[in-house]
Amino acid sequence: MYLGYYGLTEPPFELTPNPRFLFFSVKHREAFNHLLYGIRERKGFVQLTGEVGAGKTTLCRALLDQLDGGRYATALVLNPVLNPDQLMRAIAREFGLETSPDMDRLEALSAINRHLLDLAAQGREAVLVIDEAQDLTDELLEQVRLLSNLETHDRKLLQILLMGQPELRNRLDQPHLRQLRQRITVRYHLRPLTRAEVIRYVQHRLAVSGAKGTPYFTLPALWRVHRYSRGIPRLVNAVCDKALLAGFVHQTHRIDFALVGRAIRELEGDIPA
């Protein structure tokens, strides 16, 4: 609605995980490098955790874009709330394999193993990413651990990235999951943005969207954005999008403290009757 008024080419604060909008704060760059190192050095298991909306999925999509498609075959499971048979079929499908509704986990595992051996023979690497991994049951985590056993005499056939909320760390600290925890050699916890990073984050997303100096957020407005969002990118996006809409309604390119306050009240459902 407001793109033409502000002269933007695309919405700057969409909630979808578009890697083109990824802002590399120090911590996001560290996380990205940890993931890239773990995969390229064949560390087997890599773990990324962070609060809801911290930018894990966007970071993951940027990572997958970075991996050479000629060298890497990737599979991304976004919803792991499945039973073991369904999970194995989902992984097989993500690798481009044919499955049937009656295929059980052993059949799917066998198909995956053959595919991974074929990839290895071609000199290619396989990467499996499981998002929202904190929702995996103990049984499913064990299935994932067994996947890591797929190997030749000199190499692992599959690199596995587990992404999830902080609860994932707590889950993996449980004694009965120590076999899996001990295999995770690369870990990173993505922390919220600082106030200075929120300022640069907002400016970055506006620039990517084609902003030429306007709209612009005043420093008090950005302070209020940080205070409300606590540095969580998803919340920054939500409040900034509402603030731009409020600016459009008031026909101003200057997003100030009061407009951000109005945006926050709308997000919280505090709308005058």
Side-chain angles (χ1 to χ4, degrees):
M1 181 181 294
Y2 55 67
L3 295 185
Y5 175 72
Y6 292 122
L8 302 175
T9 57
E10 57 186 314
F13 298 108
E14 289 275 54
L15 299 182
T16 52
N18 187 340
R20 287 200 311 106
F21 281 89
L22 178 60
F23 170 68
F24 277 111
S25 69
V26 171
K27 50 187 71 74
H28 282 78
R29 174 61 69 183
E30 286 181 350
F32 186 83
N33 288 339
H34 272 72
L35 300 182
L36 203 56
Y37 166 78
I39 290 172
R40 287 182 172 173
E41 297 300 317
R42 301 178 184 171
K43 293 301 181 180
F45 266 108
V46 180
Q47 174 188 313
L48 175 65
T49 54
E51 294 293 343
V52 175
K56 300 183 297 297
T57 304
T58 306
L59 198 63
C60 172
R61 292 189 183 278
L63 174 74
L64 295 178
D65 285 349
Q66 179 74 22
L67 297 177
D68 179 6
R71 180 183 172 190
Y72 291 92
T74 60
L76 174 61
V77 176
L78 295 173
N79 177 22
V81 184
L82 306 165
N83 64 43
D85 290 345
Q86 292 170 334
L87 178 63
M88 286 298 143
R89 289 199 298 269
I91 293 170
R93 285 195 300 272
E94 285 297 314
F95 275 121
L97 304 178
E98 291 187 6
T99 63
S100 61
D102 59 347
M103 176 183 280
D104 63 28
R105 76 187 79 171
L106 294 178
E107 293 172 316
L109 182 61
S110 178
I112 293 169
N113 187 46
R114 290 193 301 272
H115 180 63
L116 297 181
L117 288 170
D118 288 342
L119 290 174
Q122 299 166 25
R124 301 181 67 197
E125 305 283 347
V127 180
L128 168 63
V129 180
I130 300 180
D131 202 357
E132 302 296 345
Q134 77 280 347
D135 293 330
L136 291 169
T137 64
D138 288 354
E139 185 179 13
L140 291 178
L141 284 170
E142 177 62 13
Q143 290 296 311
V144 173
R145 185 186 72 82
L146 292 176
L147 278 173
S148 71
N149 289 337
L150 300 178
E151 56 188 10
T152 63
H153 67 281
D154 63 347
R155 63 182 287 185
K156 292 286 186 182
L157 292 175
L158 184 63
Q159 312 303 311
I160 302 173
L161 167 57
L162 296 178
M163 297 196 308
Q165 297 167 27
E167 293 85 347
L168 177 61
R169 294 190 299 177
N170 301 332
R171 289 280 312 284
L172 295 177
D173 281 340
Q174 297 178 46
H176 66 281
L177 293 175
R178 63 185 180 278
Q179 288 191 65
L180 174 56
R181 183 177 64 251
Q182 290 168 359
R183 297 188 183 204
I184 301 174
T185 56
V186 179
R187 297 178 177 85
Y188 194 89
H189 183 69
L190 193 57
R191 300 190 181 280
L193 301 174
T194 65
R195 186 186 306 170
E197 288 171 337
V198 165
I199 293 173
R200 296 199 301 274
Y201 175 87
V202 171
Q203 293 170 342
H204 167 76
R205 294 191 71 105
L206 285 171
V208 173
S209 297
K212 306 295 184 183
T214 59
Y216 68 93
F217 286 72
T218 66
L219 286 178
L222 291 167
W223 176 86
R224 197 166 194 176
V225 169
H226 176 262
R227 183 180 180 185
Y228 172 75
S229 67
R230 304 183 308 279
I232 300 297
R234 184 180 297 170
L235 292 177
V236 174
N237 287 356
V239 70
C240 285
D241 180 66
K242 282 287 187 182
L244 288 181
L245 180 58
F248 168 70
V249 170
H250 288 80
Q251 293 293 284
T252 178
H253 287 242
R254 183 176 182 270
I255 310 302
D256 60 14
F257 186 88
L259 283 178
V260 171
R262 179 188 177 101
I264 291 171
R265 289 192 295 273
E266 288 187 10
L267 285 173
E268 294 298 315
D270 183 13
I271 303 174

